[in-house]
């Protein structure tokens, strides 16, 4: 049985990936410092899978702690989710973001090399294409100039990973460029649980529907898109989790391999609201508000490479994404705080 180290495995995408890994028969060791997650996710994972990951409360920037993880466990590959992800916060706190996301990855990679582990899957983002890239985004495009420190941290890490692969041909790395993951595990036991007021559309809609927020502000309806609101490529988080399992299989090939993980479809903010209302029967009051600084009008993935090389497609429908989001939010109005 192969054992996978999952950094950030207590978080939103990490916890869903841990479930898929355990169900696929992998052993899992999570390293997470719980800066943006809750320990209560662990018994939920055990309920879903009937088995548990090993949990280590540590920071990926701590070289001694990381060395201990690799000496205590026979790790075969690493999936690296640990990082900070709030775009607006990264503009206010750039050093904290570069320090966590870039330095954290460097410490992890050094610990891997010291332990002789050279297989890595990295959480990258569609934001690495930058604001000027034509849609749909395709992996053959050069990295752009992301407008936030958060986005730049992902592009810098991709560059570092490419340099690592040049330096030593034992490295086999997948940079998975996620589009907009939403939804929750169909059990309703785990899901996205942002602290405070959500920055992202789907958790904001869910909290309006459950009565925790009064109304959604739609940021701009005067974009050059079919209904004037922005379009994004929303994919189900369980599809995304499956994409990580598929990408592990591709790590037989040395070098850095980038993959877009998205559906290939752009969906507008208004369409998201309508789909949520239709599927759940819940009203989502909204108002049109000014544009949010830094938002791009529309982008979505060309996901052909992941289909071709990973045998992966984001197959779950928008209706499933909405139903699963609502099952999670309505069953856990206070998220993991309920334990
Ligand atoms: P999340 O915040 O729910 O998960 C990240 C986890 O990493 C959290 O559990 C947090 O406690 C942990 N963490 C952060 N810094 C750490 C550190 N220094 N040491 C140990 N643990 C640490 O976020 P998520 O949505 O699950 O995102 C996971 C990864 O995917 C992130 O790297 C994020 O940038 C990337 N990503 C997310 C999205 C998205 O829309 N959610 C899109 C593209 C890329
Ligand atoms: C989606 C759409 C908003 C909230 C961000 C990061 C990106 C990636 C995913 C990590 C936009 C609109 C939102 C609200 C709204 N993360 N919106 N009212 O901005 O596409 O991507 O998360 O890598 O890097 O930038 O996602 O969910 O914030 O917004 O109208 O209250 O919903 O304007 O059009 P975004 P989002």
């Amino acid at each position: 049985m192969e054992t996978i180290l999952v950094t950030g495995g207590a978080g939103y995408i990490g916890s869903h990936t841990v479930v898929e890994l355990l169900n696929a028969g992998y052993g899992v060791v999570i390293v997470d410092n719980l800066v943006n997650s809750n320990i209560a996710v662990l018994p939920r994972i055990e309920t879903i899978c009937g088995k548990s990951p090993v949990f280590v409360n540590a920071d990926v920037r701590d070289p001694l702690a990381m060395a201990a993880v690799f000496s205590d466990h026979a790790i075969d590959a690493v999936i690296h989710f640990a990082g900070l992800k709030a775009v607006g916060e990264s503009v206010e706190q750039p050093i904290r973001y570069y320090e966590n996301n870039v330095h954290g990855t460097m410490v992890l990679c050094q610990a891997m090399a010291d332990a002789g582990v050279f297989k890595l899957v990295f959480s990258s983002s569609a934001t690495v294409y930058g604001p000027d890239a034509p849609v749909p985004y395709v992996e053959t495009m050069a990295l752009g100039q992301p407008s936030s420190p958060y986005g730049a941290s992902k592009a810098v890490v991709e560059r570092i990973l490419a340099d690592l692969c040049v330096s030593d041909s034992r490295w086999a790395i997948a940079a998975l460029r996620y589009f907009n993951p939403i939804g929750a595990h169909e059990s309703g036991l785990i899901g996205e649980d942002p602290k405070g007021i959500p920055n992202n559309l789907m958790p904001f809609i869910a909290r309006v529907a459950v009565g925790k927020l009064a109304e959604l502000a739609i940021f701009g309806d005067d974009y050059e898109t079919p209904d004037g609101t922005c379009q994004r490529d929303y994919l189900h988080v369980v599809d995304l989790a499956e994409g990580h399992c598929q990408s592990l299989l591709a790590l037989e090939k040395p070098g850095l391999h980038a993959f877009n993980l998205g559906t290939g479809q752009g969906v507008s903010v208004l369409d998201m609201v309508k789909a949520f209302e239709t599927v759940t029967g819940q009203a989502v009051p909204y108002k049109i508000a000014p544009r949010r600084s830094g938002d791009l009008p529309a982008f979505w993935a060309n996901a052909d490479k992941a289909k071709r090389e990973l045998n992966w497609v984001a197959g779950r429908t928008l209706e499933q994404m909405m139903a699963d989001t609502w099952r999670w939010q309505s069953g856990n109005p206070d998220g993991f705080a309920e334990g």
Side-chain angles (χ1 to χ4, degrees), residues 138-154:
V138 60
E139 296 90 341
T140 47
M141 292 173 177
L143 294 185
Q145 299 287 331
S147 42
S148 71
Y150 166 74
S153 77
K154 294 292 179 188

Side-chain angles (χ1 to χ4, degrees), residues 7-15 31-38 56-62 66 80-86 99-101 104 122-127 150 153-154 176-182 191-193 195 200 237 240 244:
T7 76
Y12 172 47
I13 306 168
S15 58
V31 167
D32 200 304
N33 66 0
L34 302 176
V35 65
N36 196 38
S37 48
N38 192 314
V56 181
N57 186 338
D59 193 305
V60 292
R61 293 167 295 176
D62 180 343
M66 296 311 294
H80 178 37
F81 294 104
L84 301 175
K85 64 163 182 176
E99 214 276 320
N100 202 36
N101 294 1
F122 172 62
S123 295
S124 190
S125 167
T127 188
Y150 166 74
S153 77
K154 294 292 179 188
L176 304 184
R177 297 173 180 165
Y178 314 156
F179 282 68
N180 289 56
I182 62 169
E192 188 170 16
D193 183 23
K195 295 189 169 144
N200 299 115
V237 67
L240 183 57
H244 289 74

Side-chain angles (χ1 to χ4, degrees), residues 308-328:
R308 207 168 54 236
E309 296 188 20
L310 303 180
N311 192 26
W312 177 87
V313 289
R316 290 172 176 80
T317 62
L318 197 59
E319 287 67 31
Q320 284 171 284
M321 300 180 214
M322 298 303 171
D324 291 336
T325 298
W326 183 235
R327 190 177 303 108
W328 156 248

Side-chain angles (χ1 to χ4, degrees), residues 80-122:
H80 178 37
F81 294 104
L84 301 175
K85 64 163 182 176
V87 173
E89 188 180 69
S90 81
V91 176
E92 289 154 20
Q93 304 173 20
I95 292 174
R96 180 170 170 241
Y97 268 69
Y98 286 115
E99 214 276 320
N100 202 36
N101 294 1
V102 179
H103 181 61
T105 305
M106 290 164 65
V107 172
L108 170 69
C109 289
Q110 186 61 55
M112 290 177 67
D114 292 345
V117 178
F118 292 97
K119 291 182 178 181
L120 174 66
V121 177
F122 172 62

Side-chain angles (χ1 to χ4, degrees), residues 18-63:
V18 167
V19 164
E20 295 309 312
L21 289 168
L22 290 172
N23 284 343
Y26 290 101
V28 175
V29 177
I30 294 176
V31 167
D32 200 304
N33 66 0
L34 302 176
V35 65
N36 196 38
S37 48
N38 192 314
I39 193 82
V41 73
L42 295 175
R44 306 285 187 100
I45 291 173
E46 186 176 2
T47 304
I48 295 170
C49 301
K51 46 192 164 181
S52 297
V54 173
F55 179 75
V56 181
N57 186 338
D59 193 305
V60 292
R61 293 167 295 176
D62 180 343

Side-chain angles (χ1 to χ4, degrees), residues 185-202:
H185 191 265
E186 63 173 10
S187 64
L189 289 171
I190 60 173
E192 188 170 16
D193 183 23
K195 295 189 169 144
I197 296 176
N199 298 308
N200 299 115
L201 179 63
M202 195 70 244

